[in-house]
Amino acid sequence: MKKELLLQVKNLKTYFHTESGLVKAVDDVSFDLYKGETLGIVGESGSGKSVSCLSAMRLIPMPPGEIAGGEIIYHDPEKGPIDLLKLSIDDMRKYRGNKISMIFQEPMTSLNPVFTCGYQVVEVIQLHQKVSAEEAKQRTLALFEEVKLPNPQRIFDAYPHQLSGGQKQRVMIAMAMACKPSILIADEPTTALDVTVQKTILELMNDLRHEVGMSVMFITHDLGVIAEVADRVLVMYKGKIVEQGSVLDIFNNPQHPYTKGLMACRPPLGKRLSKLPVVSDFMGFDAQGNMVTKINSVEDALKAVEISPEETSRRLMSLEQQAPILQVQNLKTYFPTEKNFFGKVTSWVKAVDDVSFDIKPGETLGLVGESGCGKTTLGRTILRLAPATEGKVIYDGKSIFDLDKQALKAMRRNMQIIFQDPYSSLNPRMTIGDAIIEPLKIHNILANDKQRLEKAADLLTTVSMSPDHLNRYPHEFSGGQRQRICIARALALEPKFIICDESVSALDVSVQAQVLNLLIELRQKYQFTYIFISHDLSVVKFMSDRMVVMNKGKIEEMGYADDVYNNPQQEYTKKLIAAIPEGRLEDIQKRMGRLGAGAN
């Protein structure tokens, strides 16, 4: 059966004029999109994948951007082929949101905070279709039901800040689907979501695609996600397409070293590795700038860093023989939600509810669970950044909750935290050097600022960055570099114990691999003890010696990381494991087989 062509991108060039010169974000890119298919576009941040799709939507800011060349041909069923780049602004508006719709990465910034969710979807429907406000409202409620939002009327009247991340993303999908577009562009729609929420969103998008018969361009940095949704795949690197083919071909026999690098840097669940392979293990460049292939296969790269079960057992036995450095005993952290007329609390959120565990020196304890399970509150309560309701935290023989202000300040030298969002945890008005020096000043470490600056330069070198960066500001760095700066700042006081709170969840898988490798390297070098918090069980399993699975403030399951993964005891743990996109060849073959049977 011949496929029907829907969109052609021909020799697209999108450039940005910056102070440091011309940036060729998309450089002579061509591809086709067929009716009813999902085209996966994969690559790291800066590869040009989002800019390619924003160019198709004519959403490139001009200046500094410009579409310097090429054609974007939309095959309109009524009017025939139309070059979207030649349409007037008013004519383009008739296609944008109506024929071609887009779901953005961060729903909170895409939804207007001052309007209800229902109003925003109604507005889109009335903009493109001549219907009454009442009819638009009924369609919106039906859409909310279609995207499986609980209590559609409540969501209709709610403001974006009153919804969870997964619910906001469903509202965005409903808005994008409002006019039944021919093409849906999904730009990293699941990156910041829990694996379980991600799984339901991916299934929802698949179901809607088949029901409506639309085409999807799915942008992501994660090949595991691509394996779950795509029919064909484009791999982009530095503004160019380096590889394309069917999802089966790409996973079965990747050709380009960059594709192999992206496939290898996701933590594998069936193996234990000393470190994760990264893109630079597969490819490099010679003095003339020509690409050089280093490792030929993903299997070879994984084999080189695989740890035997015997090595793992030896490490665990060594840890078990030590006295704990941290003891958490019957910890409870409750937040009041309702009070009566007299101000007495009548209802509580039990964020952490009777949690107990120990950690040995040099151990990494993984905390995993969905958003709202209490893992971040637990980490903050341990550091006295959130008030405990009941229980004890004993660090190095001292009760944290009994320390006075002065003793707590001294204790903080040994206990640090690396937050989820490196941009919001760095002061945008402070240089990187000042940000790293600040804790040294607070704790009166070293004699003067000259010595502290030398220390900051050493710390940047430790996290594989250049001391030349000391006088730059946070906005001048990528997400991965900012996270390294936050790690350098956490190391400034030479702590023994570090809590990593979702410290890699917002990063590309390739950058994530580099940061995880750095954390493991630092653990080996300085004998750090970590609590590693994440919603991604594959990342937690890679990092951890033991794992704690949390749900609704309580511990569901606890044990050695490999044991919890290989033999989960609780249904909740099984659900988390089942939601991980693994990108296995047999799963892709089954999915493609089902699609083929459905087409027949």
Side-chain angles (χ1 to χ4, degrees):
M1 185 176 157
K2 192 181 176 187
K3 293 189 286 187
E4 187 181 332
L5 194 59
L6 193 58
L7 189 78
Q8 289 174 287
V9 174
K10 297 180 179 178
N11 309 108
L12 179 66
K13 296 176 182 176
T14 305
Y15 299 162
F16 288 89
H17 299 271
T18 69
E19 289 178 5
S20 50
L22 188 68
V23 175
K24 296 183 177 181
V26 178
D27 193 14
D28 200 19
V29 161
S30 300
F31 61 86
D32 296 335
L33 177 70
Y34 294 94
K35 189 173 180 182
E37 80 165 347
T38 295
L39 178 68
I41 304 178
V42 70
E44 298 167 285
S45 294
S47 63
K49 56 191 191 299
S50 291
V51 175
S52 300
C53 294
L54 289 169
S55 301
M57 295 282 283
R58 297 269 301 273
L59 290 174
I60 298 296
M62 299 184 189
E66 65 159 330
I67 297 177
E71 299 172 282
I72 299 173
I73 310 294
Y74 173 70
H75 290 261
D76 193 314
E78 295 159 13
K79 299 178 183 177
I82 292 167
D83 187 349
L84 298 178
L85 298 181
K86 291 181 178 171
L87 292 178
S88 67
I89 298 295
D90 287 340
D91 285 341
M92 185 61 206
R93 282 199 190 107
K94 293 171 188 173
Y95 283 88
R96 192 190 299 133
N98 190 22
K99 302 287 187 184
I100 307 173
S101 213
M102 191 161 185
I103 306 166
F104 295 95
Q105 178 173 352
E106 180 42 73
M108 192 64 203
T109 55
S110 309
L111 293 168
N112 193 322
V114 302
F115 294 113
T116 64
C117 296
Y119 175 87
Q120 294 183 62
V121 181
V122 164
E123 185 182 34
V124 170
I125 293 169
Q126 288 195 291
L127 184 68
H128 292 290
Q129 296 174 14
K130 292 174 182 174
V131 297
S132 67
E134 183 54 36
E135 191 180 336
K137 179 181 177 178
Q138 293 310 314
R139 281 201 204 175
T140 301
L141 290 170
L143 279 164
F144 284 173
E145 225 164 273
E146 216 171 299
V147 297
K148 298 180 174 64
L149 277 165
N151 196 340
Q153 184 62 56
R154 183 188 74 80
I155 303 289
F156 187 93
D157 296 327
Y159 289 87
H161 72 273
Q162 296 173 303
L163 306 184
S164 70
Q167 287 174 334
K168 283 196 282 274
Q169 199 58 283
R170 285 165 192 262
V171 171
M172 278 296 298
I173 293 171
M175 192 186 294
M177 299 289 297
C179 298
K180 296 188 177 174
S182 308
I183 300 170
L184 178 66
I185 299 172
D187 186 6
E188 302 266 17
T190 61
T191 296
L193 302 179
D194 295 339
V195 283
T196 47
V197 179
Q198 172 179 272
K199 186 178 175 69
T200 58
I201 294 289
L202 295 178
E203 286 171 352
L204 170 67
M205 289 181 66
N206 256 330
D207 292 345
L208 293 173
R209 172 173 71 117
H210 294 306
E211 282 171 28
V212 181
M214 68 181 176
S215 304
V216 178
M217 289 162 68
F218 197 101
I219 302 167
T220 183
H221 59 258
D222 190 342
L223 272 162
V225 172
I226 286 291
E228 300 276 312
V229 296
D231 303 308
R232 286 190 304 121
V233 184
L234 304 178
V235 182
M236 290 191 70
Y237 177 67
K238 292 190 174 176
K240 293 184 179 291
I241 294 171
V242 294
E243 186 165 1
Q244 59 181 304
S246 75
V247 66
L248 211 51
D249 289 343
I250 295 290
F251 276 82
N252 191 30
N253 189 22
Q255 298 299 305
H256 199 278
Y258 180 68
T259 312
K260 294 171 187 175
L262 287 180
M263 291 180 81
C265 63
R266 179 96 179 125
L269 286 158
K271 298 179 173 73
R272 186 156 277 276
L273 308 180
S274 58
K275 65 171 194 169
L276 289 168
V278 293
V279 170
S280 58
D281 292 334
F282 290 83
M283 59 186 281
F285 296 91
D286 62 20
Q288 286 73 45
N290 300 312
M291 192 190 76
V292 178
T293 301
K294 295 180 179 178
I295 300 175
N296 275 320
S297 81
V298 174
E299 290 73 25
D300 289 347
L302 293 174
K303 206 175 285 180
V305 291
E306 191 169 354
I307 299 174
S308 69
E310 292 75 27
E311 279 181 89
T312 305
S313 295
R314 278 197 297 273
R315 173 172 166 79
L316 293 174
M317 283 176 66
S318 164
L319 289 169
E320 281 299 330
Q321 288 162 7
Q322 300 183 63
I325 191 169
L326 183 86
Q327 296 165 281
V328 176
Q329 299 173 354
N330 308 108
L331 189 62
K332 297 178 182 178
T333 307
Y334 296 173
F335 297 107
T337 55
E338 288 178 21
K339 294 180 181 179
N340 64 17
F341 179 76
F342 300 103
K344 186 180 178 184
V345 177
T346 57
S347 181
W348 302 82
V349 169
K350 298 181 177 181
V352 178
D353 194 12
D354 201 18
V355 165
S356 300
F357 59 83
D358 295 345
I359 308 180
K360 304 298 176 75
E363 181 183 20
T364 299
L365 181 80
L367 276 183
V368 68
E370 297 170 288
S371 293
C373 72
K375 55 191 188 298
T376 293
T377 304
L378 173 58
R380 287 169 176 266
T381 306
I382 288 168
L383 294 178
R384 266 182 69 176
L385 297 175
T389 306
E390 209 176 287
K392 287 185 176 181
V393 174
I394 298 165
Y395 175 78
D396 210 9
K398 294 175 185 168
S399 174
I400 296 287
F401 301 153
D402 295 335
L403 298 177
D404 61 25
K405 196 175 178 182
Q406 203 61 34
L408 181 64
K409 184 182 174 184
M411 180 67 81
R412 289 219 191 281
R413 281 194 60 174
N414 290 321
M415 305 175 80
Q416 290 291 302
I417 186 167
I418 302 164
F419 294 101
Q420 177 173 356
D421 183 357
Y423 195 67
S424 61
S425 56
L426 290 168
N427 188 330
R429 296 183 180 184
M430 286 176 78
T431 65
I432 297 314
D434 288 340
I436 297 172
I437 286 169
E438 187 180 33
L440 296 171
K441 281 184 174 178
I442 289 169
H443 289 272
N444 203 24
I445 295 168
L446 300 176
N448 53 52
D449 281 352
K450 184 174 181 292
Q451 288 181 10
R452 292 178 189 126
L453 205 60
E454 287 169 4
K455 171 88 170 172
D458 289 343
L459 287 165
L460 281 182
T461 305
T462 301
V463 298
S464 305
M465 288 186 70
S466 168
D468 297 340
H469 293 150
L470 284 169
N471 292 319
R472 295 190 188 176
Y473 289 87
H475 72 272
E476 298 179 76
F477 296 92
S478 68
Q481 288 173 319
R482 282 197 288 265
Q483 199 57 286
R484 286 170 185 268
I485 292 160
C486 289
I487 292 169
R489 186 176 61 179
L491 297 180
L493 299 175
E494 299 178 5
K496 297 176 186 171
F497 173 78
I498 298 176
I499 294 178
C500 304
D501 184 10
E502 298 274 15
S503 53
V504 295
S505 64
L507 304 177
D508 288 346
V509 284
S510 51
V511 179
Q512 174 180 282
Q514 293 168 25
V515 173
L516 293 176
N517 287 344
L518 172 64
L519 290 170
I520 283 179
E521 193 182 303
L522 293 170
R523 183 182 71 185
Q524 290 166 345
K525 187 175 178 181
Y526 298 107
Q527 290 302 299
F528 287 142
T529 304
Y530 288 134
I531 288 182
F532 193 89
I533 300 170
S534 179
H535 61 258
D536 188 337
L537 197 139
S538 60
V539 170
V540 170
K541 179 183 173 290
F542 167 72
M543 283 295 295
S544 307
D545 299 298
R546 284 186 303 132
M547 196 190 294
V548 171
V549 181
M550 286 190 71
N551 182 26
K552 295 178 182 174
K554 291 183 178 290
I555 291 177
E556 283 274 341
E557 193 159 347
M558 179 162 53
Y560 294 132
D562 288 350
D563 292 347
V564 171
Y565 172 71
N566 292 324
N567 188 24
Q569 300 301 303
Q570 303 300 320
E571 283 305 315
Y572 181 75
T573 312
K574 291 173 185 174
K575 186 180 83 166
L576 282 182
I577 292 168
I580 300 167
E582 293 186 55
R584 291 183 305 190
L585 208 55
E586 53 268 36
D587 293 339
I588 298 170
Q589 287 167 331
K590 276 183 200 169
R591 182 172 69 82
M592 300 312 286
R594 283 197 303 272
L595 288 177
N600 296 329

